[in-house]
Amino acid sequence: MGNTILTGRSNAIAPIISAEDARTHISDEEYRRIRQAFQRFKNGCINYDEFCYHVLGGAQIPEEKRRLLFSFFSHGAETISFDNLLSSLVGLCRVEEVQSRFIEEYHEFASWGLSPPKLTIPLNDSYISFYEVMSYVTHLSVKEVIELEKVFATISDRAVCKLNEEKWKQALGGCFPDSFAERLFAVFDENRDGQIDFRELVCTLSALCRGPHPGRISQLARIWDIDCDKLLSDEELSNMYKDLNVPIENQTVTKSSNGKAALVDFGIWAQENEKYIAEYYSMALQIGHICLGLRPESKKMELEIVNEFESRASELPLSEWNIVAAGWHAEFRTLLEAGKNPNPIDNSGIKGTREDSWTSKVACISSESARLKPDLVPSDYIRVPVPLWKAWLRWHGCALTIDSQFTRKYLDGEFFEDYKPALELYPLEILLLGHDRKKSHDGTETTPRSLTPWACAQVSRSMTVDELLSLCKTELRLGDGDARLWQVIKENEEGNVLLDDGRQNLHQLYTSLGKTKKVNKMKLLLEVRERGTGVWPEELRASLSGKQITAASTLSSSNSQLSGRPGAVGLVNYGNFCYRNAGIQCLARVSPLTQYLLDDQHLDEIKRANTKRRDAVETTIEYAKLLREMWAAKKKNIAPNDFNDAIRMNSDMFECSEQHDCQEFVAFLIDQLHTSMYEANKTLHPPPEDTRKEEKPEEKEETDEEKAVRSWTEYEKKNDSLVTDLFTGQLRSRLICRTCQSSSSVFEPFTSLSLPIGFEDVDLYQVIVVHRDGRIPRRYGFRLSRDSKIGNLREVVAASSGIPMNHITIQCMSSKGTLMSRSPNHRSSNLKDELPLSSFPSGARLYALELPESTGEDEWRVAMHRKLQYNHEPHILGSTAGFIVSRFGLPLIVGLDENVSGKKLYEDVMYQMHRFMEHSVNSFSSRAHDPCEDDASFPFTLCLVDQNYEWCGQCPALRFCRGCPIRPDENKVFIPANCPIAVDWLPIALYLRYNHSQEQACEDDPSVEETWSRHFAPSSLEHCLEKFSCPETLDAAIQCDRCEKKTMRDKVMTIWKLPKYIIIHLKRFEFLREQGRMGKCKRTVNFPLQHFDPAPFVDKPDGNTYECIALANHYGQLSCGHFIAYAKSNEDKWLLLNDCSVREVSEEEVDKQGAYLLFYERKDVKNS
């Protein structure tokens, strides 16, 4: 190359041929493909990055060589024009003179002289598309296969691209007998994996609906072929005769195959007795064409199929129908009878106008927005099942581009004035309002926000509030943000009604308005909680306007009695104050405390107390005022503005409007109440002075009982208040010498118990063990500490699977099908035992692969299945950009003994795959010989590749080699070190021989369910109490008097005695050191609402039991969650208190899953 500079135009090699000359060296097809490929690039040129990816295919070529090639193609310019691309490509790939001069100048490319890179793939070598393969082996055209795939994508489970039984039933729309639908599903599900893949669908449709008529009829026999042997036994024939109502004299199917009837025997009998199988055959054709997407072969067939389908489905009790204009339907039949193509569906005759429609003002979020003409009569329209409507759209299209579809529900009589079941021709039109997002300049809000139209929807009156809210969140992309619906009622003096009962349907809301049937309109408010401030705009609006908030649940007969009930009052959340509202509602259920604060005498004492803690006094007074409003129950909900202002003024922690911890707030409030009461007692009721001289205590060792009494007496003297009497218990903290077991105890008070739920230092691992004999892989479950390594995993896998540890390699595959890379300095395919399991990417799949016997660490390789997928777009270099490399399937282990041959490698791979290789590929539907079935060849090629399984493992990058093939002969094979093997599949073989369902099959060891249950199973309150008292070893040694030296100590915290009211804090939030953040434990904790006996966990139990009177639940994450409360009313009924919403619930409806704070009351308290 010498001193050639590549950055300037003058130093670049100019091509010897022009673009016109280059055109003479390629075919018209090649020129067209290159031209179309170039048109993909914007700005009419190719820049450097596009050149590296699209022309060089992303090959790992050194940077300086990529720059050199780009300079050659661009002639030194910054971009490549089409003429320069054409002349450079053709010159390098087809013209020897250009190749020679290029190699003379750039010696690094000398190898190109032996084998120049490809220009394009020749048409006869191009990748055979899946559609061509399926057309080749069936009676369907490529166009029909493509159309079937489009339909299959809409009816299948998109996650796995397969049709399961549930999706199958949905596709059939309930239009066929269940027994027939289930058995026909089994016919399509040829490999019996409970799912229909696209290959099975195409081949079975071809067999049932195409080809010679006798062959189609024969396939019906498979409906009764329970054992799938393609033969009908006596029992199966008996079932067939019974289902088809065949009289004894006509039960004459020949049994030509060892006493059983072959499919052809059934076909011959069926042709002679066609009247018995006519209905089943007709239903099979209807399903294949109308439901699954195959277009009828002729207009006559279409008319027959549609007529039979309509006749049978007209009286079915379907929940959904499509409305079609009767005029178009009559014309459709007339044209088909005349052998002409029907016109597109035309519903203009029944379509209503958009006058007074909200769709002209705001976006519609429902799937349909079209109106029907008012006062339609049955002769104006016909109703057809949804599958037929979809089939007509596929076959004929629609004359109206918009507002052409009318899907209507068939509803019970409760939704109509005459109480008769009918078709809901005129659904409800909902206008969704939203709050104006404008604020004042300083960010504060002093006036209510106005409501503006946001969106509209046309929905059935049978839709529930929860279903409509879910639709709004999905279509308006609200995500998981808090949102709720309100009914807008202008006549309501108190404002809008909060729809807090999600089970209520829209018909109930509509009838409550007293509107006539013809209006069919209703306004709802969609309220979204502000993420930054946590404000509910409608609650703030009500608070600023002085209006009460009415919840729909309180208007129902079951909850109407809550009005005027003390304590059954909601609290408005006009900031991020749900944690306060929940805490207040729980604490208010402590009757002695609430009654104390409702007493004017006690409150006067607190006010008159001579104390410096005015903050505590102010907080207590405002809390007492709030309780009075709640217990007066004159309002359905209260805005605790004064109380919140007192909290803001008297607490640094809660002065902002950010989300806080409910437990911390309750602890703060209890401390404020205690302080004000204690100061009042000390000022107004001072204890008598103790005139006794302080006696020096005798020097003797106290028992724990004596220490507890002394500690408690001293605490009471300094903390005399009602709060102490109600909430304070006593803990014993012991330090136990691990050498001599001697202990020392310290007693301390508590007002709440913070119990650990179970942030265990373990992770759950599931490993798929793959044996070399091709048996179904087995999945095992393990719970290992978070600092475990590969070696620890291999050890437990060996113990569970029975495979020796030295014959196991652990491989980690990402969700994209790539194996976790090894260290560059480590030449083996094995992952080092020292590698931490925590280094595996999230969502990765772990495999434990059995190694061949008598092989060393370097005598095996990992093989991965691979396909080079042609992307159906024109390409430039056929060996690169024209292909997308896809890895799939289970990894395999290929043994490399000293004299291994290529044939032995192929046979080894074939042996490990025999379980999921199809040996007879839809023989019933094939119409030509499949070349991949030749027993003398293999349906794949083994190639030597790099660690990413994308490029060759031994050729230089400039060769653009995807992998050098290994010849399947008797010659010895040399496999370079650290060079994996790719199993490249031939296209037809991959689609017809490789059974993906069987390959993915996996048996679960009992350890999978066991470890999963242990890892995610609900905990219990008893278990949390046990963990609370678990010994904890201190880090530093402490002097032991008995051992006369420093020893390690265990610290044990136990409950000495419990208070009258227990506040239990379930510690759901802990700091995760590995992730450097706070995490939430979402594990459910089971706890009793009644008859809780804490005696097993208390050192000095008193024999009393407790019952739960309130609990605060937390949902979501730490910074953006939501608190609600469940609490018992004075009538011993459970209430759900969600900010301003209050409704009565049963004990079974109390949600324990999100419990965060529990309030327990000793059962003797009520009687004392």
Side-chain angles (χ1 to χ4, degrees):
M1 187 172 67
N3 296 322
T4 304
I5 300 175
L6 303 175
T7 55
R9 177 184 294 269
S10 60
N11 293 316
I13 297 178
I16 297 176
I17 59 173
S18 64
E20 291 75 15
D21 292 336
R23 180 72 179 79
T24 63
H25 289 269
I26 57 177
S27 66
D28 292 341
E29 173 63 19
E30 287 176 320
Y31 178 80
R32 182 186 65 82
R33 294 168 74 185
I34 295 175
R35 184 73 191 179
Q36 288 185 358
F38 186 82
Q39 290 173 352
R40 293 180 305 180
F41 302 103
K42 299 178 181 178
N43 304 322
C45 58
I46 301 175
N47 60 33
Y48 174 72
D49 291 333
E50 292 170 337
F51 172 80
C52 293
Y53 182 77
H54 291 283
V55 180
L56 303 183
Q60 302 301 312
I61 301 174
E63 172 71 14
E64 64 273 12
K65 293 182 175 58
R66 290 202 299 267
R67 290 286 180 184
L68 188 151
L69 285 171
F70 179 77
S71 179
F72 175 78
F73 274 74
S74 66
H75 301 177
E78 294 183 355
T79 59
I80 302 173
S81 66
F82 176 73
D83 286 347
N84 288 345
L85 174 71
L86 181 65
S87 59
S88 302
L89 267 179
V90 175
L92 285 179
C93 301
R94 294 285 172 87
V95 183
E96 279 191 34
E97 187 178 358
V98 176
Q99 294 169 2
S100 300
R101 183 170 176 182
F102 180 81
I103 293 170
E104 287 176 5
E105 183 67 23
Y106 305 130
H107 302 296
E108 298 93 330
F109 297 89
S111 60
W112 283 12
L114 301 176
S115 178
K118 297 178 182 179
L119 177 65
T120 63
I121 294 181
L123 290 180
N124 57 348
D125 291 337
S126 63
Y127 190 83
I128 302 175
S129 73
F130 172 72
Y131 310 108
E132 293 169 319
V133 173
M134 298 313 300
S135 175
Y136 176 74
V137 298
T138 65
H139 299 284
L140 305 178
S141 67
V142 171
K143 182 180 179 181
E144 286 176 317
V145 176
I146 293 175
E147 290 302 315
L148 281 175
E149 186 186 47
K150 293 178 181 177
V151 178
F152 186 76
T154 63
I155 63 176
S156 61
D157 183 351
R158 295 188 178 183
V160 294
C161 296
K162 293 183 180 181
L163 196 62
N164 55 34
E165 289 193 56
E166 181 183 355
K167 292 290 186 180
W168 170 265
K169 291 178 181 178
Q170 292 177 8
L172 269 56
C175 299
F176 300 90
D178 290 340
S179 59
F180 178 78
E182 291 171 3
R183 282 186 281 179
L184 191 64
F185 177 86
V187 173
F188 277 83
D189 181 21
E190 189 180 2
N191 59 20
R192 292 299 187 267
D193 65 346
Q195 300 179 105
I196 301 172
D197 60 32
F198 185 60
R199 179 182 63 84
E200 291 173 324
L201 181 96
V202 171
C203 293
T204 309
L205 277 179
S206 171
L208 282 173
C209 306
R210 291 289 188 270
H213 185 71
R216 305 185 196 182
I217 298 296
S218 298
Q219 295 309 311
L220 283 179
R222 298 178 60 214
I223 292 176
W224 296 278
D225 183 17
I226 305 301
D227 56 7
C228 306
D229 61 352
K230 294 187 171 60
L231 298 171
L232 297 182
S233 64
D234 289 340
E235 182 181 357
E236 292 167 340
L237 281 173
S238 176
N239 293 334
M240 183 268 291
Y241 291 139
K242 182 179 179 181
D243 291 341
L244 299 180
N245 296 318
V246 180
I248 296 178
E249 60 271 18
N250 290 333
Q251 297 179 5
T252 56
V253 176
T254 304
K255 305 173 185 176
S256 64
S257 181
N258 298 323
K260 294 184 177 182
L263 300 185
V264 66
D265 297 331
F266 173 85
I268 295 172
W269 173 86
Q271 286 184 288
E272 299 172 354
N273 299 271
E274 193 167 347
K275 61 181 180 180
Y276 298 116
I277 59 97
E279 182 181 5
Y280 272 48
Y281 180 59
S282 174
M283 288 194 296
L285 289 180
Q286 292 167 34
I287 290 175
H289 292 86
I290 294 175
C291 303
L292 301 181
L294 188 60
R295 186 161 188 169
E297 290 180 285
S298 64
K299 299 175 182 62
K300 179 182 178 181
M301 173 180 278
E302 180 179 349
L303 182 61
E304 291 177 357
I305 289 174
V306 170
N307 284 342
E308 291 170 356
F309 182 79
E310 284 190 282
S311 174
R312 196 176 42 77
S314 59
E315 300 302 324
L316 291 175
L318 303 180
S319 61
E320 257 189 2
W321 297 82
N322 274 90
I323 306 301
V324 180
W328 177 86
H329 186 256
E331 181 188 272
F332 162 79
R333 286 188 170 180
T334 302
L335 291 174
L336 282 181
E337 289 170 353
K340 299 180 180 179
N341 291 322
N343 294 320
I345 302 172
D346 187 358
N347 278 335
S348 57
I350 59 175
K351 178 185 173 183
T353 64
R354 281 181 171 263
E355 292 181 8
D356 300 326
S357 173
W358 288 321
T359 55
S360 60
K361 302 176 183 177
V362 290
C364 181
I365 62 173
S366 56
S367 58
E368 298 179 21
S369 61
R371 290 177 175 177
L372 287 170
K373 280 185 177 179
D375 302 322
L376 286 177
V377 296
S379 59
D380 294 332
Y381 64 89
I382 64 165
R383 63 178 191 177
V384 297
V386 175
L388 181 56
W389 166 263
K390 292 180 178 178
W392 278 341
L393 282 181
R394 292 194 302 268
W395 299 342
H396 308 300
C398 192
L400 303 175
T401 56
I402 59 173
D403 293 349
S404 60
Q405 181 169 330
F406 304 97
T407 305
R408 298 295 184 260
K409 287 184 176 291
Y410 192 86
L411 302 180
D412 295 333
E414 64 180 281
F415 296 96
F416 303 100
E417 291 182 350
D418 58 4
Y419 295 100
K420 293 181 180 180
L423 204 61
E424 185 187 26
L425 292 177
Y426 305 99
L428 288 176
E429 296 182 21
I430 307 294
L431 177 63
L432 295 167
L433 304 176
H435 289 95
D436 189 352
R437 298 179 180 271
K438 294 181 181 179
K439 295 183 180 180
S440 59
H441 296 294
D442 60 357
T444 61
E445 298 191 40
T446 56
T447 58
R449 295 194 202 176
S450 59
L451 303 182
T452 57
W454 188 353
C456 66
Q458 185 185 88
V459 294
S460 171
R461 61 196 66 225
S462 64
M463 177 177 278
T464 65
V465 171
D466 276 347
E467 290 170 344
L468 178 58
L469 184 58
S470 177
L471 174 68
C472 294
K473 285 186 174 183
T474 301
E475 297 300 324
L476 298 176
R477 299 182 180 180
L478 301 180
D480 296 329
D482 289 329
R484 56 190 184 185
L485 291 168
W486 299 68
Q487 188 173 17
V488 179
I489 306 177
K490 292 184 178 179
E491 297 79 6
N492 187 1
E493 294 181 359
E494 296 297 340
N496 304 324
V497 176
L498 173 62
L499 304 180
D500 59 338
D501 186 357
R503 298 165 297 182
Q504 194 174 19
N505 61 52
L506 300 183
H507 177 68
Q508 294 169 327
L509 301 179
Y510 181 73
T511 53
S512 68
L513 299 175
K515 293 188 176 181
T516 62
K517 176 183 177 183
K518 294 184 179 180
V519 176
N520 286 314
K521 286 187 174 184
M522 184 166 58
K523 292 182 180 180
L524 298 179
L525 167 63
L526 178 59
E527 181 191 25
V528 179
R529 187 181 183 187
E530 303 223 358
R531 289 184 178 272
T533 63
V535 170
W536 286 108
E538 187 62 14
E539 289 195 19
L540 177 61
R541 185 170 178 265
S543 175
L544 293 174
S545 61
K547 292 184 178 181
Q548 281 286 287
I549 294 176
T550 304
S553 59
T554 62
L555 302 178
S556 64
S557 58
S558 59
N559 287 319
S560 59
Q561 298 177 359
L562 287 176
S563 179
R565 188 183 295 181
V569 176
L571 298 176
V572 176
N573 177 12
Y574 59 84
N576 238 328
F577 297 149
C578 60
Y579 69 96
R580 298 186 190 180
N581 293 346
I584 291 170
Q585 295 285 16
C586 290
L587 196 59
R589 309 305 144 175
V590 181
S591 298
L593 179 62
T594 298
Q595 294 303 321
Y596 180 94
L597 293 172
L598 292 177
D599 190 318
D600 289 336
Q601 180 181 349
H602 293 143
L603 204 58
D604 288 340
E605 291 179 351
I606 292 175
K607 292 179 180 178
R608 291 187 290 113
N610 182 17
T611 176
K612 295 180 181 179
R613 292 292 306 275
R614 299 310 302 174
D615 59 324
V617 173
E618 291 174 6
T619 303
T620 302
I621 291 173
E622 293 302 333
Y623 178 64
K625 289 180 180 179
L626 179 58
L627 288 178
R628 291 189 175 214
E629 279 194 89
M630 294 171 63
W631 255 248
K634 294 180 180 180
K635 299 179 180 179
K636 297 173 183 177
N637 37 74
I638 301 168
N641 299 335
D642 293 340
F643 174 77
N644 285 327
D645 288 341
I647 296 296
R648 178 175 55 83
M649 296 295 294
N650 298 315
S651 169
D652 294 336
M653 179 183 295
F654 303 107
E655 65 178 350
C656 62
S657 60
E658 295 179 357
Q659 177 72 281
H660 286 280
D661 190 344
C662 181
Q663 184 267 338
E664 292 178 351
F665 173 73
V666 169
F668 163 79
L669 183 55
I670 287 178
D671 180 68
Q672 294 285 86
L673 297 175
H674 162 71
T675 300
S676 62
M677 293 177 185
Y678 170 72
E679 293 294 334
N681 288 339
K682 186 174 68 172
T683 303
L684 304 176
H685 306 287
E689 293 186 11
D690 191 354
T691 57
R692 294 176 298 173
K693 294 183 178 180
E694 184 177 349
E695 298 181 0
K696 187 177 181 180
E698 298 182 12
E699 293 183 1
K700 66 173 184 177
E701 186 175 349
E702 288 183 302
T703 63
D704 281 357
E705 287 78 5
E706 292 170 336
K707 287 182 181 179
V709 171
R710 177 174 55 79
S711 175
W712 181 256
T713 302
E714 293 174 355
Y715 177 79
E716 276 193 314
K717 288 180 180 179
K718 300 175 182 179
N719 296 275
D720 181 22
S721 74
L722 180 62
V723 169
T724 300
D725 296 340
L726 297 177
F727 296 106
T728 307
Q730 197 172 27
L731 298 175
R732 176 171 65 167
S733 175
R734 288 192 297 161
L735 292 180
I736 304 174
C737 176
R738 304 193 71 178
T739 303
C740 67
Q741 300 303 310
S742 63
S743 66
S744 60
S745 300
V746 175
F747 292 86
E748 51 192 66
F750 72 90
T751 54
S752 69
L753 284 174
S754 291
L755 303 183
I757 294 179
F759 272 91
E760 298 177 287
D761 190 28
V762 295
D763 279 328
L764 180 64
Y765 295 94
Q766 292 185 352
V767 183
I768 299 175
V769 177
V770 182
H771 294 263
R772 282 185 51 77
D773 58 9
R775 74 180 77 168
I776 296 178
R778 193 170 184 83
R779 180 166 35 223
Y780 295 85
F782 304 102
R783 297 178 78 239
L784 303 177
S785 62
R786 291 177 179 171
D787 58 356
S788 296
K789 297 179 171 56
I790 289 286
N792 304 119
L793 184 59
R794 289 178 63 214
E795 186 177 349
V796 294
V797 168
S800 299
S801 65
I803 304 175
M805 185 174 173
N806 59 347
H807 283 181
I808 293 176
T809 176
I810 301 295
Q811 299 293 328
C812 174
M813 183 185 294
S814 72
S815 57
K816 296 182 179 180
T818 57
L819 289 178
M820 186 173 178
S821 60
R822 272 73 64 183
S823 169
N825 299 324
H826 187 229
R827 299 173 65 85
S828 171
S829 299
N830 201 16
L831 294 177
K832 282 291 189 180
D833 282 351
E834 296 76 17
L835 185 68
L837 293 177
S838 58
S839 62
F840 290 154
S842 176
R845 181 175 294 182
L846 294 177
Y847 292 96
L849 308 178
E850 182 183 13
L851 301 177
E853 296 183 4
S854 304
T855 55
E857 190 175 8
D858 293 325
E859 295 179 353
W860 54 270
R861 295 289 186 273
V862 179
M864 284 286 296
H865 300 282
R866 190 176 73 160
K867 63 177 179 180
L868 302 178
Q869 181 178 348
Y870 181 44
N871 58 14
H872 299 293
E873 297 177 3
H875 55 280
I876 295 174
L877 289 183
S879 59
T880 55
F883 286 104
I884 299 173
V885 178
S886 299
R887 296 165 292 275
F888 62 94
L890 289 172
L892 306 172
I893 294 296
V894 179
L896 303 177
D897 56 40
E898 186 176 353
N899 297 310
V900 66
S901 65
K903 183 178 181 181
K904 186 175 180 180
L905 288 181
Y906 277 80
E907 291 174 345
D908 185 12
V909 171
M910 198 71 176
Y911 172 70
Q912 296 183 61
M913 296 192 306
H914 71 270
R915 174 176 55 84
F916 47 88
M917 291 290 290
E918 295 280 4
H919 300 289
S920 59
V921 185
N922 296 92
S923 57
F924 62 85
S925 63
S926 297
R927 62 181 182 186
H929 174 67
D930 180 5
C932 75
E933 294 178 358
D934 187 357
D935 293 335
S937 64
F938 295 95
F940 53 82
T941 301
L942 300 183
C943 298
L944 301 177
V945 292
D946 61 5
Q947 296 292 337
N948 294 321
Y949 292 84
E950 292 191 3
W951 298 94
C952 186
Q954 57 182 8
C955 291
L958 289 174
R959 298 301 307 153
F960 299 111
C961 179
R962 285 294 188 184
C964 290
I966 301 174
R967 297 173 60 88
D969 54 25
E970 299 291 348
N971 294 326
K972 180 180 176 180
V973 175
F974 170 73
I975 309 293
N978 207 24
C979 188
I981 296 174
V983 184
D984 280 355
W985 282 81
L986 301 176
I988 294 181
L990 177 62
Y991 293 129
L992 301 182
R993 295 285 300 278
Y994 191 96
N995 190 321
H996 291 271
S997 298
Q998 289 297 323
E999 181 266 334
Q1000 294 173 1
C1002 184
E1003 295 177 346
D1004 278 348
D1005 186 77
S1007 62
V1008 173
E1009 182 178 355
E1010 177 189 348
T1011 53
W1012 181 272
S1013 298
R1014 287 181 58 195
H1015 206 71
F1016 297 104
S1019 183
S1020 66
L1021 185 57
E1022 291 78 9
H1023 180 66
C1024 294
L1025 286 165
E1026 289 176 357
K1027 291 180 70 68
F1028 176 77
S1029 299
C1030 285
E1032 176 187 357
T1033 302
L1034 301 182
D1035 295 333
I1038 300 176
Q1039 182 69 28
C1040 176
D1041 295 337
R1042 181 180 295 181
C1043 297
E1044 297 182 347
K1045 63 178 181 179
K1046 288 187 176 182
T1047 59
M1048 299 303 294
R1049 300 291 184 99
D1050 284 339
K1051 181 180 179 180
V1052 180
M1053 188 74 74
T1054 58
I1055 302 170
W1056 183 259
K1057 70 172 184 177
L1058 288 171
K1060 296 175 183 179
Y1061 287 87
I1062 312 173
I1063 302 177
I1064 295 178
H1065 167 221
L1066 300 176
K1067 296 171 65 175
R1068 293 198 175 275
F1069 300 102
E1070 290 189 18
F1071 184 75
L1072 305 178
R1073 293 182 180 178
E1074 298 84 359
Q1075 303 178 27
R1077 63 176 181 86
M1078 293 294 291
K1080 179 181 179 182
C1081 178
K1082 297 182 180 180
R1083 176 174 291 182
T1084 301
V1085 178
N1086 292 325
F1087 56 90
L1089 295 178
Q1090 299 179 9
H1091 309 300
F1092 169 50
D1093 184 7
F1097 313 101
V1098 182
D1099 293 338
K1100 295 296 179 180
D1102 54 13
N1104 288 308
T1105 59
Y1106 289 74
E1107 68 176 22
C1108 186
I1109 58 170
L1111 59 144
N1113 284 15
H1114 181 268
Y1115 303 98
Q1117 298 303 318
L1118 177 64
S1119 59
C1120 57
H1122 182 57
F1123 285 97
I1124 67 169
Y1126 289 90
K1128 276 195 171 183
S1129 67
N1130 292 348
E1131 293 79 15
D1132 216 30
K1133 302 290 186 181
W1134 279 100
L1135 302 175
L1136 168 58
L1137 303 119
N1138 184 359
D1139 288 335
C1140 65
S1141 171
V1142 181
R1143 66 185 179 94
E1144 190 174 294
V1145 296
S1146 65
E1147 185 172 302
E1148 291 72 24
E1149 291 178 284
V1150 175
D1151 181 18
K1152 297 182 180 180
Q1153 188 169 355
Y1156 186 62
L1157 281 182
L1158 308 177
F1159 288 72
Y1160 276 98
E1161 178 185 60
R1162 201 162 64 198
K1163 291 194 70 175
D1164 70 334
V1165 170
K1166 291 183 178 181
N1167 301 324
S1168 60

